[in-house]
Amino acid sequence: MKVNPLSKKRKSLLALGMLVAMVMPHPESLVWAEANLTSNPPVAAGKWTLKSYIQQVLNANHTVASQQMSEQIAMEGVNQAKGAFEPVAKMNVQRSSIRQKNTAEEDLVRQNLGIYSRKNSGYDIGGSALIPTGATIEAKLGVDAIDSNLQAIANRPREFKSFYDLSVTQPLLRDAGVDITMAKTRIAEKDAAVAGLSTLEVNTSVVSSAISAYLDLRMAQERQRIWEEGLRTAEGLVKEARLLDKQGRLSETALIDVENGLILYQVGVSEARQQVEEAMGKARTLLMVTAQDSLPPLTASDPLPKVDKKVVSFQESMQTALTQRADYRSRLVAMEREGIRIAYAENQTLPRIDLVASYGINGLEYNGNKVYSALENDDFPTWKVGVQMSTPIMGNEAANAQLRVARLNKAKALLEAQGLETSMANDITTALSAMENSRQRWEMYQQLLKAGSKQLTMEKQLLAAGRSDRRNVLSREESMVRNRVSLAEQAVAYVKAKVALEVARGTLLANFTDLSSDREKQ
């Protein structure tokens, strides 16, 4: 008689057997991360705002992309660790046959049969699962269809032996408890958090470099503009001087002095244009493009930064850095991770003592369609309860070494955090000093420009009255040009110092981009 493996009773009992082993509450929901490895958008040359330039640099930067991949890898590590709690389904189908001569003892038991033959078809299905307490639960449901030559002697038909078994192994010392069972998952989560903070750290470095390159380009453009304005003024004065020379109203020496002054302006314009090219080259490097890519010149379109008089205290900046600096927070997370590893390593030094228990029901039927009906009652139970123990006999050096390494790593993370605190304090002090000094120099150049403008006006009046010459006017104009350039340079230096302070405080991304908002919420 054939067994119907898809009978309704079999399917219902199979569902009952798998329910305990496989439908266990997962300790945490799985979050599957998928890296978005799309190609970088093409770089559009032309006028750039600071915000658009920063975003394009982040899109093009290979270090940023590499770190984002590292973060995705770390997130997959969390999924891998959580996979330990995924229920495992098992199925076994086998057919066996035996034919052998009986020994004297076997022949006596088997009623002088002489030869014993048996064919067996076995089917079983089940599953196992690890739960947060550290226990492993296994369930199995199956049937063996038995044909032997003893059945003819006993006048019995084909036999169907069914069984259901549920077993639990619960660690009592090593690997026991939610904290220990979840340790690998929590360590992976800390690794992912460290990788995320490393991404913020890399983004901060790249954004800082992008801001510096943009400011250098903007300053170079402003320097070129100022010198070209001065050159136009000088060309006008030279034109007037040459006209007067033709009229015989200006000496040759005076004309040469004026023309020499024009050459100085031309040199200044040439140097300014070269500085624009150099700044543009640095800006292109961050965009991962070259001058040979047939792109128009890059132009920084934002206005020159302003110098404010806002006072920032060291204490407030230091407190902000302790809570916002990605590299410092990374050290703190690393200390938490090593704390988890220490707890896990301490647990691994304990002997393994497990509580084991199992309960099963056996049944025997002669009709394949009723093969699982015997399991509907518990007339033939099988059970066992006990404790098993194992422990290394030489002191468990592997676990002890793992514990020592975890403690050393935590001490190392603590030292790194303490060293970083010193570095943070010095970075903040340096940035605050640079801000104050550049602000003072900016105010001084403002005073020089105000006085120089007054002197230039007076010099022009003297020239109109015939009491001065154009060389003196050009000299005053040149002094004004240089002071205007220096004033703009101090404004840029102030903003660079402010950026350095934001880096030291750990607030650069929050203040200059929208990159940190989502991650901070996470």
Side-chain angles (χ1 to χ4, degrees), residues 204 325 431 497-508 511-512:
T204 298
R325 277 275 292 255
K498 194 173 181 179
V499 169
L501 178 63
E502 297 290 354
V503 172
R505 288 161 54 96
T507 54
L508 181 70
N511 291 340
F512 282 86

Side-chain angles (χ1 to χ4, degrees), residues 450-483:
K450 185 177 180 181
S453 178
K454 186 176 181 180
Q455 288 177 326
L456 178 60
T457 301
M458 294 172 61
E459 198 69 46
K460 288 180 178 179
Q461 291 173 351
L462 291 174
L463 176 64
R467 298 168 57 188
S468 182
D469 56 41
R470 284 166 179 77
R471 181 69 186 89
N472 289 338
V473 173
L474 277 179
S475 179
R476 295 291 183 187
E477 287 280 6
E478 183 185 354
S479 178
M480 285 290 292
V481 166
R482 295 187 183 279
N483 287 338

Side-chain angles (χ1 to χ4, degrees), residues 12-283:
S12 62
L13 289 171
L14 174 61
L16 176 64
M18 294 296 293
L19 182 62
V20 178
M22 301 183 68
V23 187
M24 301 302 299
H26 200 285
E28 299 177 29
S29 61
L30 292 178
V31 179
W32 295 95
E34 181 177 358
N36 183 18
L37 304 179
T38 57
S39 58
N40 292 329
V43 175
K47 292 185 178 181
W48 289 79
T49 64
L50 175 59
K51 184 175 181 180
S52 63
Y53 178 71
I54 289 174
Q55 190 59 57
Q56 190 65 43
V57 167
L58 288 171
N59 290 340
N61 190 275
H62 291 176
T63 303
V64 171
S66 175
Q67 179 56 41
Q68 289 173 344
M69 292 179 188
S70 297
E71 184 179 358
Q72 293 291 339
I73 291 171
M75 293 174 65
E76 290 299 335
V78 176
N79 296 331
Q80 182 179 3
K82 290 180 177 179
F85 297 94
E86 183 177 0
V88 178
K90 301 177 182 180
M91 183 179 68
N92 179 44
V93 178
Q94 64 181 13
R95 182 173 178 81
S96 62
S97 175
I98 183 173
R99 178 179 173 84
Q100 64 182 23
K101 289 184 177 181
N102 294 323
T103 64
E105 181 179 353
E106 290 172 340
D107 204 42
L108 179 63
V109 174
R110 293 171 177 169
Q111 302 182 17
N112 299 318
L113 190 60
I115 296 176
Y116 173 70
S117 65
R118 171 174 170 163
K119 293 183 179 180
N120 185 78
S121 298
Y123 315 88
D124 64 72
I125 189 169
S128 63
L130 175 68
I131 63 175
T133 63
T136 299
I137 299 179
E138 295 187 55
K140 189 186 325 186
L141 178 69
V143 61
D144 288 328
I146 303 170
D147 293 292
S148 75
N149 54 358
L150 290 176
Q151 292 168 343
I153 298 176
N155 196 24
R156 291 185 180 181
R158 189 181 195 188
E159 298 169 320
F160 298 91
K161 187 176 181 181
S162 57
F163 61 91
Y164 169 74
D165 181 71
L166 177 66
S167 64
V168 179
T169 302
Q170 173 63 60
L172 301 178
L173 289 179
R174 188 192 303 177
D175 295 331
V178 175
D179 290 340
I180 302 303
T181 308
M182 296 293 298
K184 292 183 179 180
T185 300
R186 290 170 181 168
I187 289 172
E189 289 172 343
K190 296 299 181 182
D191 286 338
V194 169
L197 291 169
S198 296
T199 299
L200 288 179
E201 187 177 352
V202 169
N203 285 345
T204 298
S205 176
V206 172
V207 169
S208 175
S209 298
I211 294 172
S212 179
Y214 186 90
L215 291 175
D216 287 343
L217 178 59
R218 184 64 185 88
M219 181 62 233
Q221 293 171 183
E222 182 67 10
R223 184 183 296 108
Q224 179 180 342
R225 184 188 68 80
I226 293 173
W227 274 104
E228 287 177 345
E229 285 182 0
L231 178 61
R232 287 192 292 270
T233 300
E235 288 172 341
L237 289 172
V238 170
K239 184 177 181 181
E240 292 176 3
R242 288 171 178 169
L243 180 61
L244 292 174
D245 177 63
K246 288 182 180 180
Q247 296 173 354
R249 298 167 56 189
L250 188 68
S251 67
E252 183 178 358
T253 302
L255 176 61
I256 292 175
D257 285 340
V258 175
E259 289 177 338
N260 287 341
L262 176 62
I263 292 174
L264 292 176
Y265 274 96
Q266 290 172 338
V267 170
V269 170
S270 177
E271 290 176 345
R273 289 174 178 171
Q274 179 58 33
Q275 289 170 338
V276 168
E277 287 298 324
E278 292 174 359
M280 200 179 300
K282 293 180 180 178

